[in-house]
Amino acid sequence: MLPTAELVYDTSMAMVLGRRERQEDAVVSDFSSGEAFGFVVLADGMGGHAAGDVASKIVVTEVFSKLKLQSGDPEILEPQIGEVLEKAAVSANKRVGMYARERPEAHGMGATLLAPVFIHDRLYWISVGDSPLYLFRNGVLERLNENHALMSQIDYLVANGIMGREEALNYPDQTCLTSVLIGREIAQLDCRTVPVQIQEGDILIVASDGLQFLCEDQIEGVLRFTQKRSAEDIGAALMKEVQKLDDPCQDNVSLCVVKVLGQGAGAVVTDQDQIVSRTQNYNNASITIMAKVTRKKKATG
């Protein structure tokens, strides 16, 4: 058995429509009360394609169900986490393809996938597409997962002297995805099977690419300002910053904030999770926020 640190997680999910006609993101999380285990599943339906909202729901439902079936004993799950995650992605990909083949109007639909799994102080994930997984630690924001978009391939070519920087800046369709769940062979799949160690005070952001209308410096700035606050407050602050942009092309945004807490004094634990669901309005746009936290009662003498 791997050594563990005693941690609990404060989590909150939020979604906003942006300037799109429908919500094509889907996100769900599952963090058990009193256990240092949990996971998030997020999918972003392919914009501009038929039934992108359906594709994201298919992907989230399929991956969530696969992980939930395996979540009863994290000590058994962990040694086979890579196999479980990859099989879940492949199954979701097949489901999307089956749906599209049976319905001509859904031809071409697809979705990204991002599914991080937290086991004690260890983080694993699987991702396909461009939905980012961020780690904020000691005031610094870092993207953990791969970006399966053309721009990341161009960055590689520039860094290795294969393409000039001026050519790269003018290259068309840099946001085009190089891998997505669309029912065909998965071109690129980022499956992290060697854990990233997480620690008290870390903040993880699981998001659709709509959050990236904010640059990473802006996201980092919000997190520096709100890092001592709850996951719900952090999620609301990020969404408020997105709304302040008032970008006429703003994409759907969905995210889950996971704040890592220690089980020491002032941390958390009641017998039941506190679950909060509410709607806030910014610039005439609704933001749905769902927060969950496991709190530990302070000892009294």
Side-chain angles (χ1 to χ4, degrees):
M1 182 187 302
L2 293 173
T4 63
E6 295 300 322
L7 302 173
V8 291
Y9 309 112
D10 176 12
T11 68
S12 179
M13 295 184 293
M15 302 183 77
V16 67
L17 187 63
R19 295 295 184 90
R20 300 301 169 87
E21 294 182 357
R22 62 174 182 252
Q23 179 61 261
E24 293 189 328
D25 291 352
V27 61
V28 65
S29 69
D30 186 85
F31 287 83
S32 300
S33 174
E35 296 182 16
F37 172 79
F39 59 90
V40 183
V41 184
L42 181 146
D44 180 356
M46 290 175 63
H49 288 265
D53 55 333
V54 177
S56 63
K57 291 180 176 66
I58 290 172
V59 169
V60 164
T61 300
E62 187 69 16
V63 175
F64 179 88
S65 65
K66 298 294 185 186
L67 288 175
K68 189 65 176 175
L69 285 172
Q70 301 285 339
S71 66
D73 192 338
E75 291 182 7
I76 294 176
L77 171 63
E78 190 166 15
Q80 54 182 339
I81 188 67
E83 180 183 359
V84 170
L85 287 171
E86 188 165 345
K87 284 184 176 179
V90 170
S91 179
N93 186 51
K94 288 181 179 178
R95 293 286 183 185
V96 170
M98 289 171 58
Y99 186 95
R101 285 192 296 273
E102 293 170 359
R103 297 165 180 80
E105 70 277 8
H107 178 72
M109 75 176 193
T112 69
L113 167 65
L114 175 55
V117 178
F118 299 78
I119 303 178
H120 295 288
D121 59 349
R122 299 179 293 279
L123 171 65
Y124 305 88
W125 68 80
I126 192 163
S127 68
V128 179
D130 59 352
S131 297
L133 172 62
Y134 290 119
L135 168 65
F136 179 78
R137 175 182 291 172
N138 298 327
V140 178
L141 185 73
E142 175 189 5
R143 179 170 179 154
L144 296 179
N145 66 328
E146 296 175 0
N147 183 8
H148 299 149
L150 190 57
M151 67 177 67
S152 66
Q153 309 299 319
I154 292 173
D155 288 343
Y156 173 83
L157 295 175
V158 171
N160 288 274
I162 301 170
M163 177 182 287
R165 184 159 299 278
E166 184 175 350
E167 181 185 358
L169 290 172
N170 295 300
Y171 201 90
D173 298 326
Q174 294 191 26
T175 59
C176 179
L177 295 179
T178 57
S179 188
V180 71
L181 301 183
I182 198 172
R184 303 170 190 162
E185 182 179 354
I186 303 173
Q188 295 171 283
L189 191 150
D190 179 16
C191 188
R192 177 78 184 205
T193 57
V194 177
V196 169
Q197 296 293 133
I198 56 176
Q199 59 193 39
E200 182 179 354
D202 285 349
I203 299 171
L204 286 300
I205 306 294
V206 184
S208 62
D209 70 329
L211 180 64
Q212 294 177 310
F213 277 65
L214 297 173
C215 70
E216 291 188 357
D217 285 346
Q218 289 174 295
I219 297 171
E220 184 178 282
V222 172
L223 295 176
R224 284 182 179 177
F225 183 75
T226 60
Q227 60 186 303
K228 300 297 185 183
R229 294 161 64 181
S230 68
E232 180 187 356
D233 286 346
I234 293 168
L238 286 168
M239 288 302 200
K240 185 174 182 179
E241 201 69 15
V242 169
Q243 293 299 317
K244 283 168 59 178
L245 295 175
D246 198 25
D247 194 311
C249 299
Q250 178 64 55
D251 197 1
N252 304 147
V253 186
S254 61
L255 60 82
C256 181
V257 178
V258 181
K259 185 173 183 180
V260 183
L261 307 173
Q263 287 208 29
V268 198
V269 184
T270 57
D271 292 333
Q272 294 182 340
D273 290 333
Q274 298 177 4
I275 301 175
V276 180
S277 179
R278 62 192 176 93
T279 299
Q280 297 181 347
N281 293 307
Y282 297 112
N283 294 343
N284 298 318
S286 294
I287 301 174
T288 302
I289 300 172
M290 296 158 283
K292 182 177 182 181
V293 62
T294 306
R295 296 202 176 272
K296 184 172 185 177
K297 295 177 181 177
K298 294 182 180 178
T300 56

